[in-house]
Amino acid sequence: MIDIYSNQPTNLCIRFILGESEEDLLKLKTGDEGGVLTLSMGPLGALCKNRLRRVGGKACKVAGEFSAKRVRLDLTALRGTDPEGVLALLSGVMLANNRACSYKRDQKESPQAAFFLEGIEDAVAAALPKEAVLCESVLFARELVNAPANYLTPESMAVRIAQEANKYGVECQTLDKSQLEALGMGALLAVGESATHEPKLIVLRYKGGPLPEAPLALVGKGVTCDTGGYCLKSRASLRAMFGDMAGAAAVAGTVFALARNQVSVNVVAVIPAVENRISPDSFLPGDIISSMSGRSIAVENTDAEGRLLLADGITYAIQKENAGSIVDIATLTGAVVTMFGFTTAGAMSNHDGFYSRLNDAAEKSGEQYWRLPTFPEFRKMIDSPIADLCNMSSDGCGTITAGMFIREFAEEKPWIHLDIAGTSWVDAPKWEYQVKGATGAGVTTLYELCCSMGKEAL
Ligand code: BES
Ligand code: ZN
Ligand code: ZN
C-alpha cells in the first residue's frame, strides 16, 4: 500500500539522497534525526528508471529488515526530475512488497508494510494510481505462477482468471474439452486430453479501442504441470514445472492492467491450459497429430509440448478472434536459460517494425529481451519426412527451432515470440524489486506494447 503522507504516525523514515559517485548507489546510512535512514541513489547524472526501480526495491527490503510496518519515504531530492523516474522508484517499492502465499497452519500477520510519500510533485501523485494498477497486475501474475500444481489446475486457473475478469468488466470465456474437439484443436488436445484435469481454452477480450480494429492477440502458454509426459523429466527439473504457465499469467495480468487503466486498444488474450501428464492414453513420441490449422505434426518429444498448445492457440486467435498481430509468450525452452540465464528472455519476430515496438516497450519496463535470428536453415530443422512439421530438432538450437515452429502458425501476420523460461522465476532475486519465486515476467512489457499499439497502428 502506498499513500501520500499526511501526518500519520510512522515508525521509520527513508530519505532518498543523491550520491557523489557510482559507489554510493544503494548505500544506506543512519540519518541525522532519529528514526531516519538515508538511501543513496547515486549521482544525479546517472539517475535512470532501472536504477530508481532498484532503489525502490531496496527501500522496501530495508523496511522489512527493520520490521517497520508504517514507513515514510522522503522523495524531496527527486523534485524537478523526470516523474517517470519517481514512478519507477515507487514501482520498485510495490513489487518488492510482496511475499508468496503461505500454506502454514499458523499464519503470521501480514508482513506487508504501508508506505507514505513525502515531497512528491503533483504529476507523480496524479500518475501513481495507474502505476499501482500495473504493479498489482504483476503481483497477480506472480500469484498464479507461485501456486502449486495441485492448487492451480487448468480448471481452477480458468475460474481464478474469470473471477478477476468479472471484477474489471473484461469479457471472459472458457472453452471445455468438447468445444476444443469441435474446433479441431488436435495439437492442444494431444497434450492435455488424457489428464484427469481436462484441458481448457481461456479467452479474455478487452475492447478499449475503436471497434473495427483487429485485436492484438496475446497467446500465453498455460501448462499447469509439465511432467514431460512419456519423455519424463528428471526429478530436479520436474520440481519447478508448476510454473510452466507463466506465459498465461503474463497475458492475463496484462489484460487486467489495460482494462483497469482504460487503455485505448483492442486486445484478446488466448490461454491454452493443460496438464502434460502420463496416463494410459497419453501421446507418445512418434505419434502424428493434427492441428487446428490443418497441418500435421510428428511428435519427436512429448516434453516439447508448449509449442503444440501455442500453435493451436495462435490459429484460434487468427480464425476465431480475427487477430491482426500476435505475441506469444511462454516458458518454452531450457535452452534459453543456458543462453541468457535468469535476467534476459529470448525473443523472435517476423516483422521489424513490430519488434522495434517491443524494444521500445522493454526500454520503458526495464525488462530485458534479446532477439534471435530466423535464418532459413533453422526452418529446415523442423521438417519431417512424413508430416508437415516435427516438434523438435535433433541438431541443437532449441530456443530458435521452437520459435520457428510457432512462427509457421502465425500465417505471416506480424508476430513476436517471447521465451521467458529463464526470467519467470528467481530463487535468488537478480534485482532488488524481485522477491524469491515468481517474477511476473512479461506483464509490464506487454502492457507498454499494447499501449503503443493503441496509440498508433503498425
Ligand atoms: N517447460 C519446459 C521448458 C522449461 C525448462 C521451462 C526450464 C522452465 C525451465 C518445456 O516444455 C520443455 O520441456 N522443453 C524442452 C524441449 C525439448 C524437449 C525440445 C526443453 O527445453 O528441454
Ligand atoms: Zn515440456
Ligand atoms: Zn513446458
Side-chain angles (χ1 to χ4, degrees):
M1 202 273 304
I2 290 204
D3 215 339
I4 313 294
Y5 180 64
S6 53
N7 283 323
Q8 298 96 331
T10 51
N11 26 50
L12 179 70
C13 172
I14 300 175
R15 180 168 298 149
F16 297 91
I17 57 165
L18 293 165
E20 304 276 296
S21 69
E22 286 292 304
E23 289 78 68
D24 290 339
L25 176 64
L26 299 177
K27 257 193 197 151
L28 188 70
K29 288 201 179 113
T30 316
D32 305 334
E33 311 143 49
V36 177
L37 297 172
T38 64
L39 182 57
S40 175
M41 304 180 283
L44 180 64
L47 285 186
C48 65
K49 283 177 70 175
N50 285 349
R51 173 171 284 195
L52 289 167
R53 201 176 286 110
R54 290 183 55 195
V55 170
K58 170 86 179 180
C60 180
K61 288 185 176 164
V62 167
E65 281 155 24
F66 281 79
S67 308
K69 283 281 145 50
R70 299 173 64 82
V71 184
R72 188 149 53 92
L73 300 179
D74 183 350
L75 293 147
T76 312
L78 286 174
R79 290 184 78 92
T81 65
D82 185 0
E84 293 273 319
V86 187
L87 290 166
L89 185 151
L90 296 176
S91 76
V93 176
M94 294 186 271
L95 293 176
N97 198 19
N98 161 247
R99 300 254 177 96
C101 168
S102 158
Y103 299 86
K104 286 182 189 291
R105 181 182 59 186
D106 299 321
Q107 296 276 344
K108 294 206 190 90
E109 59 170 312
S110 154
Q112 253 95 320
F115 293 93
F116 303 93
L117 310 180
E118 193 178 342
I120 58 162
E121 290 174 304
D122 293 349
V124 174
L128 185 58
K130 285 193 176 176
E131 191 68 35
V133 160
L134 185 53
C135 292
E136 284 170 23
S137 307
V138 174
L139 301 190
F140 172 77
R142 287 185 187 172
E143 172 202 313
L144 290 187
V145 177
N146 281 328
N150 61 331
Y151 278 76
L152 197 84
T153 61
E155 153 107 84
S156 72
M157 179 159 71
V159 170
R160 181 72 185 91
I161 287 175
Q163 187 186 30
E164 206 71 4
N166 251 335
K167 271 203 248 169
Y168 309 128
V170 174
E171 193 182 320
C172 180
Q173 186 188 0
T174 300
L175 282 65
D176 63 19
K177 188 171 156 184
S178 62
Q179 291 167 296
L180 302 181
E181 282 163 357
L183 285 167
M185 301 184 90
L188 191 167
L189 287 163
V191 181
E193 72 184 337
S194 56
T196 312
H197 295 287
E198 292 188 351
K200 306 281 177 198
L201 188 79
I202 308 163
V203 184
L204 293 168
R205 300 182 190 93
Y206 171 62
K207 298 180 184 118
L211 267 187
E213 220 164 78
L216 161 61
L218 305 178
V219 184
K221 173 178 175 182
V223 178
T224 61
C225 93
D226 180 10
T227 67
Y230 275 96
C231 302
L232 183 62
K233 285 189 179 293
S234 69
R235 177 170 28 156
S237 18
L238 248 175
R239 177 65 181 82
M241 284 303 136
F242 60 85
D244 206 18
M245 32 53 69
V251 302
T254 302
V255 170
F256 297 145
L258 294 169
R260 294 176 66 190
N261 285 345
Q262 301 182 326
V263 177
S264 163
V265 64
N266 295 332
V267 172
V268 56
V270 176
I271 301 175
V274 303
E275 289 190 337
N276 187 19
R277 289 256 194 185
I278 297 175
S279 62
D281 225 13
S282 291
F283 72 144
L284 293 169
D287 281 1
I288 307 288
I289 62 174
S290 65
S291 68
M292 187 176 176
S293 73
R295 290 177 185 79
S296 60
I297 302 165
V299 176
E300 288 303 323
N301 192 314
T302 59
D303 198 8
E305 84 294 345
R307 64 201 75 182
L308 302 176
L309 319 175
L310 291 169
D312 274 352
I314 288 173
T315 304
Y316 173 89
I318 294 173
Q319 291 186 5
K320 299 293 170 188
E321 305 289 337
N322 183 36
S325 48
I326 298 152
V327 181
D328 76 80
I329 178 162
T331 45
L332 205 63
T333 64
V336 82
V337 192
T338 309
M339 197 159 23
F340 292 141
F342 304 102
T343 63
T344 305
M348 289 169 74
S349 180
N350 61 0
H351 191 292
D352 292 345
F354 196 22
Y355 192 77
S356 88
R357 299 285 192 101
L358 179 93
N359 245 342
D360 295 346
E363 188 68 39
K364 289 199 168 135
S365 72
E367 288 192 315
Q368 295 178 168
Y369 294 89
W370 198 261
R371 187 175 178 182
L372 302 168
T374 53
F375 302 134
E377 290 75 14
F378 296 127
R379 170 62 187 81
K380 290 206 187 85
M381 293 166 73
I382 47 168
D383 276 338
S384 158
I386 52 169
D388 294 316
L389 288 166
C390 84
N391 79 332
M392 186 194 156
S393 124
S394 46
D395 280 359
C397 295
T399 303
I400 293 176
T401 49
M404 296 302 274
F405 180 95
I406 295 166
R407 185 183 70 162
E408 292 296 306
F409 296 84
E411 309 281 359
E412 309 292 324
K413 303 228 180 257
W415 160 83
I416 294 172
H417 162 67
L418 303 175
D419 190 338
I420 56 167
T423 57
S424 63
W425 185 277
V426 281
D427 280 325
K430 305 300 167 212
W431 291 289
E432 289 73 8
Y433 48 84
Q434 295 180 325
V435 295
K436 179 178 160 58
T439 59
V443 174
T444 51
T445 305
L446 290 177
Y447 176 84
E448 297 293 352
L449 178 67
C450 292
C451 290
S452 141
M453 294 294 280
K455 278 200 197 105
E456 198 186 339
L458 265 189

